[in-house]
Amino acid sequence: NISGDINPNNAGIQKEKNDVNLFRTWLNLNATYKPPTQYFSLHSKLILANDSTNEVDNKLVNYDAFPVKFPGNLAANDDHWVANLSEIYADVNLGNAFFRVGKQLITWGEADGLRLADLVNPVDLSWHLFVDGIPEGYENNRIALWAADGIFTIPNDLIKNLQIEGVIIPTRFVPTQFPATGSPYNLLPFEANLPFFKIDENIPKSAEFGGRIMGNVSEGAYVTLYYFNHFFQDPLLKINNIIFVPFTINASFEHPRYDSMGLTFNYDWKEAKSVVRGEFAYEPNHPFEVDANANIEDRQVLRYVLGIDREAFIPLVHATRTCLLSFQLYQIRLLEKRGEVDRLTLGGSKVKKDITQLSFLFESRHLHDNLITDLFFFYDVTRDGWWIQPNILYKWGDHWRFTV
């Protein structure tokens, strides 16, 4: 915690500024079982982790470092230790039909540092919010869900690699998981835990579902159309009533159902030695809090990201290898009249009618690709916020990896 002060959301329980925000050790064990057949395989990922942050820095209060708990999570934990079978699924490959069933991650989209088409799995923000290595994307943040995923290849002469995918998540909905009260990354104001403030969370219990159709529509152009019917992963606060004697505010966290539809594309622009890519999402019934949390209503939202990736020689960096340069433009447009926007909030924060964000990723490889350096810069033009993240990955042999 180099700069700043006490997390204001912990101001009621933490007395002094802490120096350490995170001190965690973990072991990931990935196992695959392949019987003597090409049609079936079994995969699993076990995470063993210890969080000693409040032991290393005694200015922090004791808090639950592993608050992710939901039916089917397959985890055993206390405040400082966790053993989590985070993924376990079976693959069945029947040639033109592929099925994956079990606790799994379903990744759509490929924007750098952003989640636009990547909307199936919720994320775990409890250990360090979104701050993860850019090369890993959200691999360490996504929460695996019990789901069935099927991909069918349709041979034809018109569209190469034509595939149709269907996904269903039949189990109880899992929302975004937030840090616990007392955590240096806690996002929930301490005042929300006062006795007169009563909050219940309404967790939907019905299925989420969707699918994609994808293929090469022309030479070098790959397009995906997708649709997903799901619940809003972040909680929306709704004040149900206020009782004056005794003074009580009854509220609830809601997760309304809504629709996301759109397309993604990649185009190999050979003349410019670049790859142009994009993701578009239209949400006709995106939920918002309205009138100071008195209700939740639907609005139309359009989101898109346009990016270009190019390999280029930069002699000052490497004399014989290319470096990757990647630029992105990300926009969110609320398709409502400007006066109507003033009534809306998300998580209690005011909503902008239009938001523009830019990002840049620089990557270089050295020592026969054993040393990889990345620099990611993200700038929110509308709200004047920024995020910069360097990343260094060193691979020693076939078994060791070191990341800073």
Side-chain angles (χ1 to χ4, degrees), residues 47-351:
I47 298 176
L48 303 174
N50 168 257
D51 193 297
S52 304
T53 310
N54 73 319
E55 296 175 356
V56 172
D57 191 335
N58 59 17
K59 298 182 184 67
L60 293 167
V61 298
N62 187 64
Y63 62 91
D64 185 358
F66 301 102
V68 179
K69 299 175 180 68
F70 59 89
N73 190 31
L74 303 183
N77 66 283
D78 60 17
D79 288 353
H80 300 286
W81 290 88
V82 68
N84 181 16
L85 187 58
S86 65
E87 297 176 50
I88 181 166
Y89 56 86
D91 285 348
V92 179
N93 193 339
L94 303 177
N96 287 336
F98 172 84
F99 301 94
R100 175 169 291 176
V101 180
K103 193 167 184 270
Q104 58 180 293
L105 300 176
I106 299 173
T107 306
W108 295 352
E110 53 187 70
D112 296 331
L114 300 168
R115 299 186 78 218
L116 198 156
D118 180 19
L119 43 70
V120 179
N121 294 87
V123 290
D124 174 15
L125 305 183
S126 65
W127 64 307
H128 60 5
L129 304 181
F130 284 108
V131 185
D132 207 355
I134 292 302
E136 290 84 12
Y138 291 93
E139 178 183 351
N140 298 319
N141 295 84
R142 295 187 190 95
I143 299 173
L145 300 175
W146 292 96
D149 187 7
I151 300 177
F152 304 88
T153 300
I154 304 174
N156 69 98
D157 297 327
L158 182 62
I159 301 177
K160 294 182 179 179
N161 304 313
L162 178 62
Q163 293 180 314
I164 295 178
E165 178 180 12
V167 173
I168 185 169
I169 304 170
T171 54
R172 179 181 176 182
F173 167 71
V174 178
T176 303
Q177 302 292 301
F178 291 100
T181 299
S183 165
Y185 296 106
N186 175 29
L187 299 176
L188 183 64
F190 178 69
E191 288 75 8
N193 297 309
L194 294 175
F196 63 80
F197 206 81
K198 306 294 185 182
I199 302 180
D200 295 319
E201 186 164 17
N202 292 325
I203 301 295
K205 297 180 180 179
S206 52
E208 300 174 283
F209 56 90
R212 299 189 295 172
I213 181 169
M214 44 206 165
N216 291 94
V217 296
S218 65
E219 185 67 28
Y222 188 81
V223 175
T224 298
L225 303 176
Y226 69 87
Y227 168 79
F228 197 58
N229 180 272
H230 55 136
F231 297 103
F232 198 68
Q233 292 174 345
D234 292 344
L236 297 179
L237 181 63
K238 179 183 177 182
I239 296 177
N240 297 312
N241 58 66
I242 299 176
I243 301 173
F244 292 96
V245 180
F247 184 69
T248 305
I249 299 176
N250 291 310
S252 58
F253 284 139
E254 304 289 339
H255 299 276
R257 183 185 287 276
Y258 72 115
D259 302 290
S260 296
M261 60 196 76
L263 67 87
T264 70
F265 72 87
N266 284 275
Y267 176 68
D268 184 6
W269 187 8
K270 294 181 179 179
E271 294 79 4
K273 299 179 180 179
S274 303
V275 173
V276 180
R277 52 187 170 80
E279 297 181 19
F280 293 82
Y282 171 63
E283 296 158 347
N285 50 356
H286 186 296
F288 288 90
E289 302 152 336
V290 298
D291 300 330
N293 303 101
N295 205 353
I296 294 174
E297 296 180 3
D298 298 338
R299 296 293 187 271
Q300 298 183 77
V301 174
L302 175 66
R303 298 185 295 148
Y304 61 88
V305 58
L306 297 173
I308 183 168
D309 306 327
R310 191 181 193 281
E311 298 280 351
F313 279 104
I314 304 178
L316 292 177
V317 178
H318 203 297
T320 59
R321 292 292 306 274
T322 59
C323 300
L324 173 64
L325 304 175
S326 178
F327 298 90
Q328 285 186 154
L329 166 67
Y330 178 46
Q331 286 200 318
I332 306 173
R333 302 182 66 85
L334 184 56
L335 306 180
E336 299 290 335
K337 296 180 180 179
R338 190 168 300 276
E340 181 70 12
V341 175
D342 295 337
R343 300 175 56 218
L344 307 180
T345 58
L346 271 179
S349 298
K350 286 290 185 181
V351 173

